């Protein structure tokens, strides 16, 4: 699973912080407004109930009161409902016999003791407030006030506050994303400089004055780049010096071996075989010195020129005693490539040598084009390269399982690493895969 980036984490932290803050403010605001509205509504309901109770109490005074007329005289509107309990019976504006079922028992007990009270209830029509006022004698007056409008108002308020909290959280995330864009810009500069150094531009440096807070990091990066450049320069100089020092004795040794090899027919079988082995090792030593010289020149810029690629590939095969018909040009491939002839020639030669040494010899050298670039594929019938070893096969002096997978056991030397260097200089890439029918397929892609 890919880890979440720093910028995303900071933005998420801003969003969570904004959400928590806005949710807390919204919750506190909702509770304050809710309590205020309920308290105000209850005060209004209690005042109205006491006023109505006074009117009813006056209407039922006397020896034969008209209860229904006393209740109908009240102006209750659509949100209030009045009840009267008198002489053990319940009366309403419509004289419903079960009207008292909506009154809580505890509230009735309070009024029976001569105490006024109020209680919130829930009816089919929604929440309501019951206000009870004891009257003269044993009568009790109740007024049920609907809180449905207030409840809808509070629901709307809750939705608005929730939407505000969500918008504030989104705004916090946007602010976090915007802030981190500028806060992380110095790190982006460092990352870009590191990529340029990794791509081979060892002259890349960071100005410490650009971001004073990161001056220590900038100085450390510049010091690292300086040391890396000096070390690579020392390595190249050492490789060049060693190669030049070895060239003269190696040429002398090669000439002496060639003289002895021409006369090996007069030797006994074991001596002749020893001369053959010595000649092979001298040639291998010569190839190693050539690779070291090439490594020392690897920092030189690419010199592109028109190259007849098919002819160059056939020349590489001829120089190694291989048939020219190994070279196959796929349809649509341009005849002329704009590449560095020296680099491409050594790249192709090293791939062919690799196939000869580890794959039993190449069986095909294909030239093609795809995606605006050109590619070369060299197939062999050897043991192939296991998938887990392919990422390191182009590294310098590969040893262990990756080298054994090619059948050498002593490492792939500098050949394939130089291939990777030449291909990278052309803004291309090198890879290895399976050849249909068995063996390995080495592929290099160039911008041509």
């Amino acid at each position: 699973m890919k880890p979440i980036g720093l910028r995303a984490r900071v933005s998420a932290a801003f969003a969570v912080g904004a959400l928590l803050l806005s949710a807390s403010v919204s919750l506190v605001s909702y509770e304050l407004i809710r309590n205020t509205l309920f308290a105000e509504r209850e005060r209004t309901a209690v005042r109205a109930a006491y006023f109505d109770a006074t009117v009813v109490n006056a209407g039922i005074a006397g020896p034969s009161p008209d209860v229904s007329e006393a209740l109908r005289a009240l102006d209750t509107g659509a949100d209030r409902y009045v009840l009267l309990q008198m002489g053990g019976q319940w009366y309403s504006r419509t004289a419903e016999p079960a009207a008292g079922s909506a009154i809580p028992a505890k509230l009735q007990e309070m009024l029976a003791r001569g105490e006024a009270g109020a209680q919130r209830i829930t009816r089919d029509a929604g929440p309501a407030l019951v206000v009870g006022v004891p009257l003269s004698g044993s009568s009790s007056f109740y007024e049920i006030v609907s809180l449905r409008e207030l409840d809808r108002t509070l629901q709307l308020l809750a939705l608005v506050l929730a939407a505000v909290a969500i918008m504030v959280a989104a705004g916090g995330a946007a602010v976090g994303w915007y802030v981190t864009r500028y806060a992380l810009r110095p790190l982006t500069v460092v990352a870009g400089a590191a990529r340029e150094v990794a791509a081979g531009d060892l002259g890349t440096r960071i100005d410490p004055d650009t971001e004073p807070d990161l001056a220590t990091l900038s100085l450390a990066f510049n010091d690292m780049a300086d040391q890396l450049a000096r070390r690579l320069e020392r390595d190249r100089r050492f490789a060049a010096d060693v190669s030049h020092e070895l060239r003269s004795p190696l040429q002398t040794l090669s000439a002496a071996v060639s003289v002895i090899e021409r006369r090996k027919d007069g030797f006994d079988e074991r001596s002749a075989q020893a001369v053959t082995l010595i000649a092979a090792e001298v040639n291998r030593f010569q190839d190693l010195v050539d690779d070291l010289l090439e490594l020392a020149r690897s920092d030189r810029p690419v010199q592109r020129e028109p190259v007849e690629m098919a002819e160059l590939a056939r020349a590489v095969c001829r120089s190694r005693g291989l048939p020219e018909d190994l070279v196959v040009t796929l349809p649509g491939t341009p005849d002329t490539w704009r590449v560095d002839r020296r680099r491409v020639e050594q790249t192709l030669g090293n791939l062919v040598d690799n196939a000869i040494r580890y794959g039993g010899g190449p069986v095909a050298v294909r030239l093609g084009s795809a995606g605006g670039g050109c590619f070369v594929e060299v197939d062999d019938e050897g043991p192939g390269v296991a998938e887990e070893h392919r990422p390191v096969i182009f590294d310098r002096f590969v040893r262990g399982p990756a080298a054994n997978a090619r059948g050498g056991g002593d490492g792939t030397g500098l050949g394939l690493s130089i291939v990777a260097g030449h291909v990278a200089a052309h803004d291309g890439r090198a890879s290895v895969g399976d050849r249909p029918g068995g063996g390995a397929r080495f592929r290099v892609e160039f911008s041509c």
Side-chain angles (χ1 to χ4, degrees):
M1 182 178 178
K2 186 178 180 180
I4 301 177
L6 177 60
R7 189 175 183 185
R9 293 199 300 271
V10 172
S11 301
F14 268 84
V16 171
L19 179 60
L20 292 176
L21 179 61
S22 60
S24 301
V25 173
S26 298
L27 182 60
V28 172
S29 301
Y30 176 81
E31 287 298 323
L32 290 175
I33 296 173
R34 177 177 177 274
N35 293 335
T36 301
L37 291 179
F38 267 117
E40 182 62 28
R41 191 72 175 93
E42 288 178 359
R43 284 194 296 269
T44 303
V46 169
R47 285 196 299 268
Y50 270 95
F51 177 80
D52 292 341
T54 302
V55 173
V56 171
N57 192 42
I60 62 175
S64 55
D66 188 348
V67 176
S68 298
E69 183 63 26
L71 293 178
R72 282 195 294 269
L74 299 176
D75 183 13
T76 58
D79 63 340
R80 288 188 294 165
Y81 183 75
V82 294
L83 294 171
L84 178 64
Q85 185 184 33
M86 187 175 67
Q89 293 185 0
W90 288 94
Y91 299 90
S92 68
R93 295 167 72 95
T94 57
E96 297 176 2
S101 61
I103 307 302
K106 290 185 178 181
L107 185 59
Q108 294 183 38
E109 294 174 0
M110 288 181 61
L111 266 70
R113 295 193 301 267
E115 301 175 3
Q119 184 175 343
R120 294 177 192 173
I121 63 172
T122 301
R123 306 180 68 196
D124 294 338
L129 176 68
V130 180
V131 181
V133 180
L135 303 180
S136 59
S138 60
S139 301
S140 300
F141 177 78
Y142 298 94
E143 189 163 302
I144 302 175
V145 181
S146 175
L147 301 178
R148 185 170 53 185
E149 289 296 328
L150 179 59
D151 186 63
R152 282 200 292 263
T153 301
L154 291 175
Q155 290 179 359
L156 179 60
L157 176 64
L159 290 176
V160 171
L161 291 177
V164 169
I166 294 174
M167 288 189 291
V168 170
V175 170
W177 190 263
Y178 181 80
V179 169
T180 52
R181 176 183 178 183
Y182 289 93
L184 297 179
R185 179 174 292 178
L187 297 182
T188 304
V189 173
V190 175
R195 282 194 297 268
E196 293 180 7
V197 171
D201 186 4
L202 300 181
T204 302
R205 297 296 183 270
I206 302 175
D207 185 4
D209 297 330
T210 302
E211 183 58 50
D213 292 335
L214 295 179
T216 302
L217 177 61
S218 302
L219 293 174
F221 178 88
N222 293 340
D223 183 59
M224 178 197 68
D226 291 337
Q227 293 187 26
L228 180 62
R230 287 194 294 268
R231 180 170 182 176
L232 291 177
E233 181 60 28
R234 287 196 301 269
D235 290 345
R236 283 195 291 266
R237 189 180 299 113
F238 174 77
D241 293 343
V242 170
S243 301
H244 283 293
E245 291 295 329
L246 290 176
R247 267 175 110 61
S248 295
L250 184 58
Q251 289 175 353
T252 302
L253 182 60
S254 178
V257 169
S258 64
V259 172
I260 298 175
E261 191 175 20
R262 286 195 297 269
R263 300 180 180 180
K264 67 179 181 179
D265 294 339
F267 299 160
D268 59 80
E269 182 179 354
R270 294 185 62 183
S271 299
Q273 186 178 5
V275 170
T276 301
L277 293 175
I278 293 173
E281 291 301 314
V282 169
N283 291 334
R284 184 179 177 185
F285 194 15
Q286 181 67 54
D287 292 339
L288 177 60
V289 171
D290 292 340
D291 286 342
L292 286 173
L293 282 174
E294 187 60 41
L295 183 65
R297 297 195 296 262
S298 60
D299 60 333
R300 296 182 180 177
V302 173
Q303 302 293 331
R304 293 182 180 269
E305 59 180 308
V307 176
E308 296 289 336
M309 194 60 196
E311 179 57 35
L312 178 63
R314 286 191 287 268
V316 169
C317 291
R318 285 196 303 270
S319 66
R320 287 157 176 80
L322 300 173
E324 296 183 10
D325 58 6
L326 288 177
V327 179
V328 177
T329 302
L330 300 179
T333 304
D335 296 332
T336 303
W337 297 9
R338 287 195 58 81
V339 292
D340 189 315
R341 182 184 184 90
R342 178 185 61 83
R343 289 177 180 268
V344 172
E345 183 176 9
Q346 185 167 23
T347 295
L348 184 55
N350 286 0
L351 290 178
V352 171
D353 292 339
N354 178 73
I356 294 173
R357 181 173 299 171
Y358 301 116
V363 296
V365 177
R366 273 185 301 279
L367 309 178
S369 62
C374 303
F375 66 85
V376 177
E377 293 179 341
V378 177
D379 290 356
D380 63 49
E381 294 180 328
V385 180
E387 189 170 354
E388 62 269 21
H389 302 143
R390 293 173 185 174
V392 298
I393 197 68
F394 289 96
D395 289 348
R396 193 175 303 172
F397 288 115
V398 174
R399 299 186 182 277
N404 293 333
R406 295 294 293 148
D410 58 349
T412 58
L414 288 170
L416 292 183
S417 67
I418 292 178
V419 168
H422 287 333
V423 173
H426 283 83
D427 298 324
R429 71 184 189 95
S431 60
V432 58
D434 296 323
R435 170 183 172 268
R441 170 171 292 174
F442 283 79
R443 178 186 174 106
V444 292
E445 302 173 8
F446 301 97
S447 60
C448 60

